Amino acid sequence: MTDIEKAILQTLLELETIVKSMASAHPKPSLLPLFARLDELTQKLPKDTEPDLLHYLYKRSYENARLLLQGREAENARGTCR
């Protein structure tokens, strides 16, 4: 896993944690900085990055991207994109 992929995974895990806590959070945290960070990191990925990872990130299928980066791709449900 590249350093950029590690940073993406770390950001995705942070996003997941914040989303899970939102029901009880007051005030609600803004997710926009995390989305901006993911967009920034996605743009830095090399052209030979795994196509499925690029697809998930560009389609903002962040849970699928997280599962793929965690080596849990088998848990991803196939969508209607393909």
Side-chain angles (χ1 to χ4, degrees):
M1 183 180 299
T2 67
D3 287 342
I4 296 172
E5 290 172 336
K6 289 176 187 175
I8 289 171
L9 178 56
Q10 180 180 352
T11 306
L12 291 171
L13 292 170
E14 183 179 348
L15 175 64
E16 180 184 34
T17 299
I18 292 172
V19 167
K20 285 181 179 179
S21 71
M22 285 191 76
S24 61
H26 297 288
K28 302 289 185 208
S30 174
L31 300 177
L32 294 178
L34 291 173
F35 294 147
R37 175 93 172 121
L38 287 167
D39 288 343
E40 176 187 323
L41 290 167
T42 298
Q43 294 303 315
K44 292 180 179 180
L45 285 168
K47 293 181 189 251
D48 64 345
T49 298
E50 184 172 350
D52 283 342
L53 178 59
L54 291 173
H55 173 79
Y56 295 146
L57 291 170
Y58 283 119
K59 295 293 184 178
R60 296 184 183 251
S61 299
Y62 294 135
E63 182 177 6
N64 290 348
R66 178 183 54 78
L67 289 170
L68 181 119
L69 289 170
Q70 291 176 314
R72 298 168 52 195
E73 174 69 6
E75 296 176 42
N76 278 332
R78 279 294 192 209
T80 58
C81 294
R82 300 171 190 212

